[in-house]
Amino acid sequence: MHRFRVLLSAVFVLLSIFAISLPIYASTPHHVFYLASGASIITYNVDPTTGVPTQVGTPLTISGAQFTEIFPLPNDRFIYVFWPDAKSNFWLSVYGTDISGVPRSTPVQTLSAQGWQLMIHPNGRDAYILQTVSGQQGYSSTLYLYHVDPTTGVLTQDPKIQATYGPDYFYLESLVSFNKAGTRLYDLWSVSFDGENNYYYSDHPVDKTTGQLSSDVGTIFTASNYTGLDEQYFTSSLILNLHNQNSGGSVLNVYRNVKNPKQPYFVCDQAMLNACSTAYNYWVSIDGQYVFLPDTNDIVIGHIDTTNQKVTETGSIPANPFLSLSPDNQLIYAVNGSTNVMQVYLFDAANGTVTAGGSTTFSPTNGYGLFPAVRR
């Protein structure tokens, strides 16, 4: 996970603990991204054929917000915004959007969100909130199901608690992702303390009709690292593990997506692709076919060739920006925090190449974040 994302997620969880993802639809989908800086959220539309971004509407300013994190609904009819106030009280505000994806000025709902982590189901009807608190016996987490009103965007808590975790003095529970079919919710029980980094992944089967979760299936993948950090992605058929040794390079381990695989299907190291040994984080395309690996002077695009058991370079993105991918896999947003420039790339998923589109500059205040969406 990129340092920006890691720091942002950590700040949201830890600060909130210790301060203790119908109406009429547009005929054509709009590619949207939200640029958040301080209390301000600016909306852009992007031409998917040229990659040119255009600012639309009036920026939304959330009074008192120190920074924001945005979760668009899959159809982008509503956005869910986490934000802390000056007293480190955390809130979740729900905003409806207009046909261009611009959030309206008044939220339809605001909830106290201390210690919350939000994950919106791909169907857009259900959301899962993990609440973590700190007490005398350590960290404890509770997983709740909320139902999304498709007309108003309002969240309503389901009466059944989905799961509980802890207490534990060192390990923390977190939500990871859904599988493509939306039938599994991956979660992580992990520790990062005194040089020890251990990761235990599991998943909860999801009833797509009711949103209810079954009990987790037990550990499905483990990783340990005592000198650096590991980063995992789950695709439909693979588990990708970037094993990053701070003192001696990285390797990308490619496993079959089965329960507790004994050994990698194959390993991408420096001999196979140099970027596999230099990457300290990475991204995966929406279709799970490509990895984006930071190399010395650029980000290498690598095709995961399971037939020939290798990762093959297909293209690159200049410099080492932070990447965000559009939900439909068509656009890549590359943010350079040093120059404050956001460059759009058109992504050809058939051959793994990119074409530069337009760009825009921004002025960060108290950090920044970019959140892609497609309004349908």
PDB file of all heavy atoms in Angstrom, residues 160-179:
ATOM      1  N   LYS A 160     -28.581  -6.997  13.445  1.00  0.00           N
ATOM      2  CA  LYS A 160     -27.686  -8.114  13.743  1.00  0.00           C
ATOM      3  C   LYS A 160     -26.228  -7.684  13.652  1.00  0.00           C
ATOM      4  O   LYS A 160     -25.793  -7.148  12.635  1.00  0.00           O
ATOM      5  CB  LYS A 160     -27.934  -9.273  12.780  1.00  0.00           C
ATOM      6  CG  LYS A 160     -27.042 -10.479  13.045  1.00  0.00           C
ATOM      7  CD  LYS A 160     -27.294 -11.595  12.040  1.00  0.00           C
ATOM      8  CE  LYS A 160     -26.347 -12.765  12.269  1.00  0.00           C
ATOM      9  NZ  LYS A 160     -26.554 -13.843  11.271  1.00  0.00           N
ATOM     10  N   ILE A 161     -25.461  -7.893  14.718  1.00  0.00           N
ATOM     11  CA  ILE A 161     -24.011  -7.671  14.669  1.00  0.00           C
ATOM     12  C   ILE A 161     -23.390  -8.768  13.818  1.00  0.00           C
ATOM     13  O   ILE A 161     -23.656  -9.960  14.032  1.00  0.00           O
ATOM     14  CB  ILE A 161     -23.420  -7.646  16.084  1.00  0.00           C
ATOM     15  CG1 ILE A 161     -23.910  -6.406  16.837  1.00  0.00           C
ATOM     16  CG2 ILE A 161     -21.895  -7.659  16.030  1.00  0.00           C
ATOM     17  CD1 ILE A 161     -23.447  -6.342  18.278  1.00  0.00           C
ATOM     18  N   GLN A 162     -22.536  -8.395  12.876  1.00  0.00           N
ATOM     19  CA  GLN A 162     -21.997  -9.359  11.927  1.00  0.00           C
ATOM     20  C   GLN A 162     -20.811 -10.144  12.481  1.00  0.00           C
ATOM     21  O   GLN A 162     -20.636 -11.322  12.184  1.00  0.00           O
ATOM     22  CB  GLN A 162     -21.591  -8.644  10.635  1.00  0.00           C
ATOM     23  CG  GLN A 162     -22.728  -7.905   9.956  1.00  0.00           C
ATOM     24  CD  GLN A 162     -23.856  -8.839   9.542  1.00  0.00           C
ATOM     25  OE1 GLN A 162     -23.652  -9.755   8.758  1.00  0.00           O
ATOM     26  NE2 GLN A 162     -25.050  -8.607  10.090  1.00  0.00           N
ATOM     27  N   ALA A 163     -19.972  -9.505  13.296  1.00  0.00           N
ATOM     28  CA  ALA A 163     -18.795 -10.187  13.850  1.00  0.00           C
ATOM     29  C   ALA A 163     -18.160  -9.312  14.913  1.00  0.00           C
ATOM     30  O   ALA A 163     -18.365  -8.085  14.941  1.00  0.00           O
ATOM     31  CB  ALA A 163     -17.775 -10.490  12.751  1.00  0.00           C
ATOM     32  N   THR A 164     -17.397  -9.932  15.797  1.00  0.00           N
ATOM     33  CA  THR A 164     -16.592  -9.208  16.785  1.00  0.00           C
ATOM     34  C   THR A 164     -15.183  -9.759  16.777  1.00  0.00           C
ATOM     35  O   THR A 164     -14.964 -10.939  16.442  1.00  0.00           O
ATOM     36  CB  THR A 164     -17.184  -9.330  18.200  1.00  0.00           C
ATOM     37  OG1 THR A 164     -17.255 -10.716  18.563  1.00  0.00           O
ATOM     38  CG2 THR A 164     -18.568  -8.708  18.277  1.00  0.00           C
ATOM     39  N   TYR A 165     -14.217  -8.921  17.166  1.00  0.00           N
ATOM     40  CA  TYR A 165     -12.802  -9.297  17.154  1.00  0.00           C
ATOM     41  C   TYR A 165     -12.129  -8.717  18.400  1.00  0.00           C
ATOM     42  O   TYR A 165     -12.426  -7.608  18.815  1.00  0.00           O
ATOM     43  CB  TYR A 165     -12.109  -8.756  15.901  1.00  0.00           C
ATOM     44  CG  TYR A 165     -12.852  -9.002  14.613  1.00  0.00           C
ATOM     45  CD1 TYR A 165     -13.809  -8.089  14.171  1.00  0.00           C
ATOM     46  CD2 TYR A 165     -12.612 -10.135  13.854  1.00  0.00           C
ATOM     47  CE1 TYR A 165     -14.499  -8.300  12.990  1.00  0.00           C
ATOM     48  CE2 TYR A 165     -13.299 -10.355  12.669  1.00  0.00           C
ATOM     49  CZ  TYR A 165     -14.241  -9.434  12.238  1.00  0.00           C
ATOM     50  OH  TYR A 165     -14.928  -9.654  11.076  1.00  0.00           O
ATOM     51  N   GLY A 166     -11.184  -9.496  18.962  1.00  0.00           N
ATOM     52  CA  GLY A 166     -10.470  -9.029  20.131  1.00  0.00           C
ATOM     53  C   GLY A 166     -11.239  -9.333  21.401  1.00  0.00           C
ATOM     54  O   GLY A 166     -12.214 -10.106  21.397  1.00  0.00           O
ATOM     55  N   PRO A 167     -10.764  -8.764  22.541  1.00  0.00           N
ATOM     56  CA  PRO A 167      -9.715  -7.718  22.602  1.00  0.00           C
ATOM     57  C   PRO A 167      -8.308  -8.291  22.487  1.00  0.00           C
ATOM     58  O   PRO A 167      -8.076  -9.453  22.776  1.00  0.00           O
ATOM     59  CB  PRO A 167      -9.940  -7.108  23.992  1.00  0.00           C
ATOM     60  CG  PRO A 167     -10.514  -8.240  24.793  1.00  0.00           C
ATOM     61  CD  PRO A 167     -11.373  -9.036  23.844  1.00  0.00           C
ATOM     62  N   ASP A 168      -7.378  -7.421  22.059  1.00  0.00           N
ATOM     63  CA  ASP A 168      -5.973  -7.787  21.957  1.00  0.00           C
ATOM     64  C   ASP A 168      -5.139  -6.513  22.104  1.00  0.00           C
ATOM     65  O   ASP A 168      -5.523  -5.450  21.599  1.00  0.00           O
ATOM     66  CB  ASP A 168      -5.687  -8.454  20.610  1.00  0.00           C
ATOM     67  CG  ASP A 168      -4.330  -9.144  20.592  1.00  0.00           C
ATOM     68  OD1 ASP A 168      -3.314  -8.452  20.363  1.00  0.00           O
ATOM     69  OD2 ASP A 168      -4.289 -10.364  20.811  1.00  0.00           O
ATOM     70  N   TYR A 169      -4.002  -6.653  22.776  1.00  0.00           N
ATOM     71  CA  TYR A 169      -3.166  -5.481  23.025  1.00  0.00           C
ATOM     72  C   TYR A 169      -2.393  -5.024  21.785  1.00  0.00           C
ATOM     73  O   TYR A 169      -2.012  -3.864  21.692  1.00  0.00           O
ATOM     74  CB  TYR A 169      -2.188  -5.759  24.165  1.00  0.00           C
ATOM     75  CG  TYR A 169      -2.839  -5.815  25.525  1.00  0.00           C
ATOM     76  CD1 TYR A 169      -2.963  -7.016  26.210  1.00  0.00           C
ATOM     77  CD2 TYR A 169      -3.361  -4.660  26.116  1.00  0.00           C
ATOM     78  CE1 TYR A 169      -3.570  -7.073  27.459  1.00  0.00           C
ATOM     79  CE2 TYR A 169      -3.974  -4.706  27.362  1.00  0.00           C
ATOM     80  CZ  TYR A 169      -4.078  -5.919  28.029  1.00  0.00           C
ATOM     81  OH  TYR A 169      -4.678  -5.958  29.251  1.00  0.00           O
ATOM     82  N   PHE A 170      -2.145  -5.918  20.849  1.00  0.00           N
ATOM     83  CA  PHE A 170      -1.267  -5.573  19.733  1.00  0.00           C
ATOM     84  C   PHE A 170      -1.926  -5.750  18.361  1.00  0.00           C
ATOM     85  O   PHE A 170      -1.674  -4.980  17.446  1.00  0.00           O
ATOM     86  CB  PHE A 170       0.013  -6.411  19.790  1.00  0.00           C
ATOM     87  CG  PHE A 170       0.779  -6.244  21.066  1.00  0.00           C
ATOM     88  CD1 PHE A 170       0.766  -7.236  22.036  1.00  0.00           C
ATOM     89  CD2 PHE A 170       1.483  -5.077  21.320  1.00  0.00           C
ATOM     90  CE1 PHE A 170       1.459  -7.075  23.227  1.00  0.00           C
ATOM     91  CE2 PHE A 170       2.177  -4.905  22.500  1.00  0.00           C
ATOM     92  CZ  PHE A 170       2.167  -5.904  23.468  1.00  0.00           C
ATOM     93  N   TYR A 171      -2.754  -6.769  18.217  1.00  0.00           N
ATOM     94  CA  TYR A 171      -3.351  -7.048  16.910  1.00  0.00           C
ATOM     95  C   TYR A 171      -4.572  -6.173  16.666  1.00  0.00           C
ATOM     96  O   TYR A 171      -5.349  -5.897  17.583  1.00  0.00           O
ATOM     97  CB  TYR A 171      -3.735  -8.515  16.794  1.00  0.00           C
ATOM     98  CG  TYR A 171      -2.576  -9.418  16.422  1.00  0.00           C
ATOM     99  CD1 TYR A 171      -1.654  -9.815  17.376  1.00  0.00           C
ATOM    100  CD2 TYR A 171      -2.401  -9.847  15.101  1.00  0.00           C
ATOM    101  CE1 TYR A 171      -0.588 -10.633  17.040  1.00  0.00           C
ATOM    102  CE2 TYR A 171      -1.336 -10.663  14.760  1.00  0.00           C
ATOM    103  CZ  TYR A 171      -0.434 -11.058  15.727  1.00  0.00           C
ATOM    104  OH  TYR A 171       0.626 -11.861  15.387  1.00  0.00           O
ATOM    105  N   LEU A 172      -4.728  -5.757  15.412  1.00  0.00           N
ATOM    106  CA  LEU A 172      -5.871  -4.957  14.981  1.00  0.00           C
ATOM    107  C   LEU A 172      -6.590  -5.654  13.834  1.00  0.00           C
ATOM    108  O   LEU A 172      -5.958  -6.259  12.961  1.00  0.00           O
ATOM    109  CB  LEU A 172      -5.418  -3.574  14.516  1.00  0.00           C
ATOM    110  CG  LEU A 172      -5.181  -2.504  15.585  1.00  0.00           C
ATOM    111  CD1 LEU A 172      -4.490  -1.297  14.966  1.00  0.00           C
ATOM    112  CD2 LEU A 172      -6.503  -2.075  16.220  1.00  0.00           C
ATOM    113  N   GLU A 173      -7.918  -5.538  13.825  1.00  0.00           N
ATOM    114  CA  GLU A 173      -8.737  -6.047  12.726  1.00  0.00           C
ATOM    115  C   GLU A 173      -8.972  -4.924  11.718  1.00  0.00           C
ATOM    116  O   GLU A 173      -9.111  -3.746  12.072  1.00  0.00           O
ATOM    117  CB  GLU A 173     -10.080  -6.544  13.257  1.00  0.00           C
ATOM    118  CG  GLU A 173     -11.087  -6.952  12.195  1.00  0.00           C
ATOM    119  CD  GLU A 173     -10.712  -8.223  11.454  1.00  0.00           C
ATOM    120  OE1 GLU A 173      -9.771  -8.929  11.886  1.00  0.00           O
ATOM    121  OE2 GLU A 173     -11.371  -8.516  10.435  1.00  0.00           O
ATOM    122  N   SER A 174      -9.001  -5.276  10.405  1.00  0.00           N
ATOM    123  CA  SER A 174      -9.336  -4.296   9.372  1.00  0.00           C
ATOM    124  C   SER A 174     -10.009  -5.007   8.203  1.00  0.00           C
ATOM    125  O   SER A 174      -9.840  -6.217   8.015  1.00  0.00           O
ATOM    126  CB  SER A 174      -8.086  -3.543   8.880  1.00  0.00           C
ATOM    127  OG  SER A 174      -7.117  -4.444   8.379  1.00  0.00           O
ATOM    128  N   LEU A 175     -10.801  -4.254   7.450  1.00  0.00           N
ATOM    129  CA  LEU A 175     -11.444  -4.771   6.244  1.00  0.00           C
ATOM    130  C   LEU A 175     -10.531  -4.514   5.057  1.00  0.00           C
ATOM    131  O   LEU A 175      -9.869  -3.479   4.984  1.00  0.00           O
ATOM    132  CB  LEU A 175     -12.802  -4.099   6.035  1.00  0.00           C
ATOM    133  CG  LEU A 175     -13.786  -4.204   7.206  1.00  0.00           C
ATOM    134  CD1 LEU A 175     -15.094  -3.502   6.857  1.00  0.00           C
ATOM    135  CD2 LEU A 175     -14.041  -5.657   7.588  1.00  0.00           C
ATOM    136  N   VAL A 176     -10.513  -5.449   4.102  1.00  0.00           N
ATOM    137  CA  VAL A 176      -9.561  -5.380   2.993  1.00  0.00           C
ATOM    138  C   VAL A 176     -10.250  -5.076   1.669  1.00  0.00           C
ATOM    139  O   VAL A 176      -9.995  -4.059   1.029  1.00  0.00           O
ATOM    140  CB  VAL A 176      -8.758  -6.697   2.883  1.00  0.00           C
ATOM    141  CG1 VAL A 176      -7.797  -6.654   1.694  1.00  0.00           C
ATOM    142  CG2 VAL A 176      -7.991  -6.956   4.171  1.00  0.00           C
ATOM    143  N   SER A 177     -11.133  -5.966   1.203  1.00  0.00           N
ATOM    144  CA  SER A 177     -11.766  -5.800  -0.096  1.00  0.00           C
ATOM    145  C   SER A 177     -12.834  -6.868  -0.274  1.00  0.00           C
ATOM    146  O   SER A 177     -12.935  -7.810   0.521  1.00  0.00           O
ATOM    147  CB  SER A 177     -10.733  -5.925  -1.236  1.00  0.00           C
ATOM    148  OG  SER A 177     -10.155  -7.227  -1.257  1.00  0.00           O
ATOM    149  N   PHE A 178     -13.628  -6.720  -1.335  1.00  0.00           N
ATOM    150  CA  PHE A 178     -14.549  -7.767  -1.772  1.00  0.00           C
ATOM    151  C   PHE A 178     -13.929  -8.502  -2.952  1.00  0.00           C
ATOM    152  O   PHE A 178     -13.122  -7.934  -3.705  1.00  0.00           O
ATOM    153  CB  PHE A 178     -15.888  -7.168  -2.220  1.00  0.00           C
ATOM    154  CG  PHE A 178     -16.691  -6.557  -1.111  1.00  0.00           C
ATOM    155  CD1 PHE A 178     -16.616  -5.200  -0.849  1.00  0.00           C
ATOM    156  CD2 PHE A 178     -17.527  -7.341  -0.326  1.00  0.00           C
ATOM    157  CE1 PHE A 178     -17.350  -4.627   0.175  1.00  0.00           C
ATOM    158  CE2 PHE A 178     -18.271  -6.770   0.701  1.00  0.00           C
ATOM    159  CZ  PHE A 178     -18.177  -5.422   0.948  1.00  0.00           C
ATOM    160  N   ASN A 179     -14.328  -9.760  -3.155  1.00  0.00           N
ATOM    161  CA  ASN A 179     -13.960 -10.398  -4.417  1.00  0.00           C
ATOM    162  C   ASN A 179     -14.841  -9.828  -5.522  1.00  0.00           C
ATOM    163  O   ASN A 179     -15.821  -9.108  -5.264  1.00  0.00           O
ATOM    164  CB  ASN A 179     -14.076 -11.922  -4.322  1.00  0.00           C
ATOM    165  CG  ASN A 179     -15.515 -12.396  -4.133  1.00  0.00           C
ATOM    166  OD1 ASN A 179     -16.383 -11.651  -3.682  1.00  0.00           O
ATOM    167  ND2 ASN A 179     -15.766 -13.658  -4.462  1.00  0.00           N
TER     168      ASN A 179
END
